[in-house]
Amino acid sequence: MNATRVAVVGGGISGLVAAYRLRALLGPGATITLVEQATLLGGKLRTVELAGKLYDVGAEAFLHRRAEAADLVAELGLADELVHPTGAPSTILAGGQVRPVPPRTLMGVPASAEAVRDVLSEEALSRVAAEPGLPPIALGGEDVLVGELLRERFGPEVADRLVGPLLGGVYAGRADALSLRATMPQLAEALDAGEGSLLAAAARAMPVPAKAASGPRPPIFGALRGGMAALVDKLAEAAKADVRLGLPVRGLAKTAEGWRLEIGTATQPEHLDVDGVVLAVPAPSARKLLADAVPAAAEGLGRIEVASMAVVALALPAGTELPERSGVLLAEGERHASGTPYTAKAFTFSSRKWAHLGTDPLLVRGSVGRHGDVESLQRPDEELVAAVRADLAELTGVTAEPVDTSVTRWGGGLPQYGLGHLDLVAGVERAVEAAPGLAVAGAALHGVGIPACITTGDEAAQRVAAHVLGRVS
């Protein structure tokens, strides 16, 4: 009997989890080949050394309330490395002022007018307070754009000053182009359940606060003391895969025995024959690979747009008077006092947010780039650093010369969940299910966060293993 051979295309968190689960499901005798076009594993998880400290310049944390990431961290023996934020408050620059991000909001959607009193104008507050008196919202099972619904019910300020910056921080997108059902499923579910106003739906969807008698409230976010590279390294080690770095996958075809991948360059191609394949790559790459093998899936993936962004990391001298806040989100369209537009869309004051990073030096990261924003990302590294430093000075007064800097660019790094995204993904997955031995995973499907990506990697591995082991036809 021939040994089982499977391939995973893509070495980000989704692909690494898929390889790790395939090893557990298929056993030590299986040959698992992991092909990654980049020269290192991790995808959007990347830890660099900045002024002698390990510092994440991709995803810095995961949602701890979802079990997938926390359970995986424990499973891999990294529980002692788990850390949580300090509790320093987060802020938002909107309407020319930096204010605390208001509580009792769901991704910026208020549960009451009082919750957003400090962020909105009196006119906008009046509209929010009057929203329950508008005709009830009836989605009828349909999707709607977040910005369209918010502007219709509240006017422009809730979308521009609150929801836009928060969604921009997660998706590098704009509220006017993002799906309600894909980005705020709890809110959509509350509306489907009969809540006729956004205020009531947000209140219903809000997590219930933990009771004092039950002890401290569980942390919302988690990270790793040594950076997310520790998770990447542990997964790669446990998967025991044949890792092929720096190799593009140029083609995918169904064969009588299974699947054939063409990897390498056009002048030095290599063919890899396997029994099953997990595609854990961004939507544009998956679309190209599936164009001939599963054209219906390729067509769907081709409709998922992507946004690019960059992370500018600054190591500031010890003693720099950084605000006692976790960071600041910037509403789109905000400007310096001089009238110059801000380049950054967000700052994380990492040494305030994460105690384990210490204060010598102080670490700060500025995020740049929203969907459709090309000009700011085309600047050379030195210009991008200078622009982000100017933004930081305007916001905080901090002008200290960094002792070290780093610029990390994420081209096409974040999928945009447009109108009807859930239906689109369901169609892609149905098409792929009709191709035995093939599965897709990644941030383009059911969420851009680490837990959601872990889930897609898990499910893709189970599907491919079930086929390979003969449990499905």
Side-chain angles (χ1 to χ4, degrees), residues 263-290:
I263 62 178
T265 64
T267 55
Q268 291 184 308
E270 177 184 346
H271 292 105
L272 181 65
D273 291 308
V274 293
D275 303 301
V277 178
V278 173
L279 292 183
V281 292
S285 299
R287 178 192 63 79
K288 292 178 182 177
L289 291 174
L290 292 171

Side-chain angles (χ1 to χ4, degrees), residues 283-284 300-306 415-417 421 424-425 428 444-445:
L301 289 165
R303 288 188 278 147
I304 300 176
E305 298 185 16
V306 293
Q416 300 300 288
Y417 289 6
H421 179 79
L424 186 155
V425 169
V428 169
L445 303 177

Side-chain angles (χ1 to χ4, degrees), residues 182-201:
T183 63
M184 298 188 193
Q186 306 98 321
L187 194 67
E189 288 167 8
L191 292 170
D192 288 340
E195 298 291 357
S197 82
L198 283 180
L199 290 184

